Amino acid sequence: MRYGHFDDGRREYVITRPDTPLPWINYLGSEAYFGIISNTAGGYSFYRDARLRRLTRYRYNNVPFDLGGRYLYLRDSASGDFWSPSWQPTQSELEDYECRHGMGYSAISSCRNGIEAETLYFVPLGENLEIWRMRVTNKRDGEAKLSLFSAVEFCLWDAQDDQTNFQRNFSTGQVEVEGSVIYHKTEYRERRDHFAYFACSEPLAGFDTQRDTFLGAYKGWDSPAAVERGESFDSVAHGWAPCGSHHVELTLAPGESKEVIFVLGYWENPDEAKFDPPGSQTVSKKPVAPVIERYLRSDEVESAYQGLRDYWSRLLGILQVQTPDEHTNRMVNIWNAYQCMVTFNMSRSASFYESGIGRGMGFRDSNQDLLGFVHMVPERARERILDIAATQLPTGGAYHQYQPLTKRGNDAVGSGFNDDPAWLILGAAAYLKETADLSILDEPVTYDNEPGTESPLYEHLQRSLRYTLDRLGPHELPLIGRADWNDCLNLNCFSTTPGESFQTTENKEGGVAESVFIGGLFVLAAEELAQIAGLRGQTDEAKVYRADGAKMDTVVREHGWDGEWFRRAYDYFGDVVGSAKNEEGSIFIEPQGMCILAGIGLDDGKAEKALDSVSDKLATKHGIVLQQPAFTHYYVNLGEISSYPPGYKENAGVFCHTNPWIMIAEAIIGRGDAAFDYYQRINPSSREDISELHRCEPYVYPQMIAGKDAASFGEAKNSWLSGTAAWNFVAVSQWILGVRAEYGGLRIDPCLPKEWERFEATRRFRGATYQISVSKPKGVCKGVAQVTVDGKKIEGNLIAPQPAGAEVVVEVTMG
Ligand code: GLC
Ligand code: GLC
């Protein structure tokens, strides 16, 4: 069953009924000001940091699930009937409800009793504000007298404190109202320099800024007292819960339309110009006034919206493909790329499943998010790599997370996730392959943000590799530390206290837990660093890294191979994990993917065998589960993974992030049908028809789909913010379609389903545009027989970079 449809021409998903199984959301903003918005206008906004600079309040896990948002109410003065044109929160019956989620904007439209309303929500490029543009049209035969009310609830900035510290916060709220603008200025004194504003393009009939006055005692957002009676109270918040509500009166002739614009924004004043007049406590509004005035104008709003659409056309234009499969086209050309931008921006902080108060930017997460984003805005990827590296510890180790506002490592979560450092090498390598900008390697970067400790980025990469070599266990495999990629495989934790965090509790000393996964990752990272060293002319060093990699490769084959698949780890006591010897958790997906990506077992049949085992034991119709058999009880020596019920999350759920590793592995060994089949199983677009089961948005990847041991096998959870986005993008574009940036140019090395006969792609790469067409006889999956560039045959399948501005035609014949 579907709840809408794709409109690929407009790059939108169109939701045609408001009661989707879960809130189906979108993101507003692409640089510093962000918001999440659901198909019924739920959600919230923040500036840079979802925890520390929250503009609007949201109550997570609410009933109904999605309540609190960017609400508008219409009220018919004649009948007193009032409704929400976005359905929530009044849930009044609507004719023609439609929500169009697009690239950085959402538009919700509906009709009730002949009154049509369409609201477009977006954040203009380069601005720290969001626009709500509402168009109301009277489709009735007679005149309509209407009242329009807006409503947001302000958050008192720190979203965590806001939800807990009521004894203080109920006494701090402050606002100012001037003309049609409501200023939320809680704590805007000598200490705090920022405020929020909520402006309206029309003269007001009234306003409210005290939530309880606007709503009325014991009443909810579904029937605010002001809306019910058709008149604001002009309340000015003192303490309690400041809100923002404008009241606009509209009289529309039959057929007449009226546009009303609301602007919600964030502003910082410099210390010396905070107050007007100086010495008062009144917010100086002079600097922000021109911005507000500009975006309350219809023409400016329209051109900012067009600007946003053009921006996305440009970004998405960097890679466009035409394949025989519409789901592939749609995801590669539109939604997967878009999701990569969102995960790059948000890391794991703010979604309907991430509250925005818990987690900063993950060290390993952000490095992986880069992989799917770097081709779009390489300058931002560059900045991110340097930010991440600046939090690295002198040992080469890493804080597991850092805060985006301060860019400092997060002490609360700490470090010791021993895979973290290696991902920095992969992130940097992806940037270098895309741009050939070797200068990044010489950028001076601190350790632990400590001024004076700067060393070139290159040295950070060296220390990353060293970190693993300095921490080898009895089999000479890397010690796992707190955990590796699988945060929930906690081999040194031994937690017996309920509620204790597996990620932060003190580890038991003296163990020897080792990770085969990090072994694979190390082999991959060592080869990447060897290539980077080679580019710098440091050939001796490159040899050393290759030798380190080769040694680890041998160790993995020797101690990491179980006979039919790669083992997962050795536990604290040196006992094997992920082996046929284990009754539960005898095979894990991660080392099968990572070891093969690193090239281990390609020459001796191990890779093929491991992938056959994945197919036999882990693959399901809804994707490949993380391990089998699922853990049916808690294993104190394995940690969090065994705390989940079977089939969920890391305990044998389809943890989607890992699936593309298997797709890539299949592509590496040339099994195009298998690679593509796995790709299709979790492709959200190809799951659209089972939306009632899948439940999450059909346009973005979720973190997890419940595995076959779960009661709700096939049900997705935790949509949007997941390494799944970047890795699937890499798998399909670079390995299945095979269009891959390398240091020496653009490699075209597809691995396709047998049935396919051709596909086309356009790729902009280092300033030149490549029009690529690939053809192949049926029955072949892999192998390039001939490549021509502008009609001239080249050696091999690596196209040397063409001059910036060039447009070249590339013809690839497989066979
Ligand atoms: C979450 C974390 C990621 C981790 C994964 C597996 O997605 O953000 O860092 O690798 O879970 O545990
Ligand atoms: C939880 C999640 C896991 C995540 C970890 C880190 O354990 O299940 O996916 O990686 O938290 O925050």
Side-chain angles (χ1 to χ4, degrees), residues 348 354 359 364-365 368 400 419 484-488 649-650 655 657 703 721-723:
R348 308 293 170 269
E354 302 279 10
R359 303 174 64 179
R364 81 157 83 86
D365 292 338
Q368 291 173 84
H400 198 43
D419 65 316
D484 59 19
W485 172 87
N486 190 331
D487 275 338
C488 300
K649 296 275 290 181
E650 282 90 338
F655 211 93
H657 186 145
Q703 179 202 58
L721 302 185
S722 164

Side-chain angles (χ1 to χ4, degrees), residues 119 217 225 304 783:
T119 314

Side-chain angles (χ1 to χ4, degrees), residues 456-722:
L457 176 69
Y458 184 66
E459 191 178 322
H460 285 254
L461 306 185
Q462 292 172 309
R463 291 197 196 187
S464 293
L465 207 64
R466 194 73 240 160
Y467 180 85
T468 304
L469 291 176
D470 287 347
R471 286 163 186 75
L472 299 179
H475 300 93
E476 299 209 52
L477 283 164
L479 292 174
I480 198 168
R482 281 199 171 280
D484 59 19
W485 172 87
N486 190 331
D487 275 338
C488 300
L489 188 64
N490 316 116
L491 304 181
N492 293 309
C493 178
F494 292 88
S495 174
T496 50
T497 309
E500 187 171 75
S501 160
F502 291 94
Q503 265 88 42
T504 58
T505 181
E506 201 169 317
N507 273 344
K508 188 165 147 168
E509 290 298 323
V512 290
E514 299 168 286
S515 163
V516 176
F517 174 83
I518 302 181
L521 182 63
F522 178 86
V523 174
L524 187 62
E527 173 57 28
E528 293 290 2
L529 194 56
Q531 291 190 30
I532 294 171
L535 290 175
R536 289 166 62 92
Q538 283 152 299
T539 39
D540 287 346
E541 217 178 292
K543 274 191 206 132
V544 174
Y545 299 140
R546 290 218 163 87
D548 290 338
K551 188 159 171 227
M552 185 65 76
D553 181 307
T554 309
V555 172
V556 169
R557 286 181 211 235
E558 196 168 324
H559 299 290
W561 181 251
D562 200 58
E564 298 291 324
W565 56 80
F566 291 101
R567 294 175 166 173
R568 181 64 179 83
Y570 288 90
D571 73 7
Y572 180 91
F573 308 103
D575 293 330
V576 68
V577 178
S579 156
K581 296 195 187 87
N582 303 114
E583 229 165 86
E584 298 189 332
S586 56
I587 170 171
F588 283 67
I589 192 173
E590 307 102 303
Q592 322 313 325
M594 192 47 73
C595 293
I596 299 171
L597 254 69
I600 305 173
L602 294 181
D603 51 356
D604 60 5
K606 288 192 172 63
E608 214 161 312
K609 233 182 205 175
L611 290 172
D612 288 343
S613 300
V614 167
S615 159
D616 284 355
K617 300 190 181 304
L618 300 178
T620 78
K621 62 179 178 181
H622 294 297
I624 312 166
V625 298
L626 194 140
Q627 104 279 3
Q628 279 292 293
F631 298 111
T632 54
H633 60 92
Y634 179 58
Y635 292 76
V636 71
N637 61 321
L638 301 182
E640 183 168 1
I641 189 167
S642 57
S643 71
Y644 290 113
Y648 295 105
K649 296 275 290 181
E650 282 90 338
N651 187 11
V654 176
F655 211 93
C656 297
H657 186 145
T658 60
N659 280 222
W661 296 340
I662 301 300
M663 299 166 204
I664 297 172
E666 290 285 5
I668 289 174
I669 69 162
R671 301 201 299 205
D673 284 317
F676 190 71
D677 180 19
Y678 289 138
Y679 175 70
Q680 285 295 59
R681 292 189 205 191
I682 62 166
N683 181 324
S685 166
S686 43
R687 296 173 62 79
E688 186 191 15
D689 284 340
I690 52 164
S691 286
E692 77 290 357
L693 172 66
H694 185 78
R695 299 185 79 219
C696 280
E697 298 89 333
Y699 42 90
V700 288
Y701 287 97
Q703 179 202 58
M704 199 257 318
I705 298 172
K708 60 185 176 186
D709 304 287
S712 58
F713 181 35
E715 178 191 37
K717 259 183 216 155
N718 304 351
S719 56
W720 279 98
L721 302 185
S722 164

Side-chain angles (χ1 to χ4, degrees), residues 185 192 205 241 277 300 309 480 482 622 658 708 780 811:
K185 63 161 192 176
R192 195 180 278 284
E300 289 286 350
R309 290 187 65 98
I480 198 168
R482 281 199 171 280
H622 294 297
T658 60
K708 60 185 176 186
V780 170
E811 283 177 5

